[in-house]
Each structure stands twice: as C-alpha cells, then as structure tokens.
Amino acid sequence: QVQLVESGGGLVQAGGSLRLSCAASGRTFSRYDMVGWFRQAPGKEREFAAAIRWSGDSTRYADSVKGRFTISRDNARNTVYLQMNSLKPEDTAVYYCAAGNAVGVYSYWGQGTQVTVSS
C-alpha cells in the first residue's frame, strides 16, 4: 500500500506562488494510473484541482485553476508537484494528493497540506 505525504503549503499573499509536493513511499506511483490534487475549503466539499497520468504526459485541470496551476511529476523521486501561480484568496484550502486508477477512482490519499492566500 502506498503512503502519500504532501508538503509545501503555507501562507502567501494574493498573486503569489507556492509549489506543493506529494511524495510516495511504500509503493511507487508507477503502480497507479493517475495522481491527482484535490482541495477542500472550509465549509465546502472536496473538489478536483488537477491530475496527471503517471505514464505519458496527459494532464487535466479544473477550470478554476487552468492557466494558473501546473501539475508535474518526477519519476526518479517518485514525487508529484503542483505549481500554483497567481494565487487568489479563493484558492485557500487544504490540498490533498491521491493515487488512483485510469477511470478516476482515487483510493489512496495523503493527509493534506494547508494553503492560505491572503488578500
């Protein structure tokens, strides 16, 4: 079973940038088809932000982050990143990474990292 650990969250002013990391241990990401980033703001349901196929270059983004966020992976480090630029206060949330199958069922989740964007 894979263990996922997110890092890189913090407090940033609107317009700033952060890079989140998701490191896998126990099993490599290569055993899973997709790695995704999700987020949950206070009082809201968890929502999809971005995903990447572990083999190949296919990526997908929520409309709310498209053009501002970039998901990437480092196979050698068994790590997935989420580069977040032009951050807005509405991006404030706990960000989770997850590993899943080709049809978008994510079975393994990290503990989350807090991102707070001040106005």
Side-chain angles (χ1 to χ4, degrees), residues 48-51 59-67 69-72 82:
F48 168 79
T59 58
R60 189 165 65 90
Y61 297 93
D63 288 343
S64 58
V65 308
K66 200 173 294 182
F69 290 11
T70 303
I71 189 170
S72 63
L82 186 67

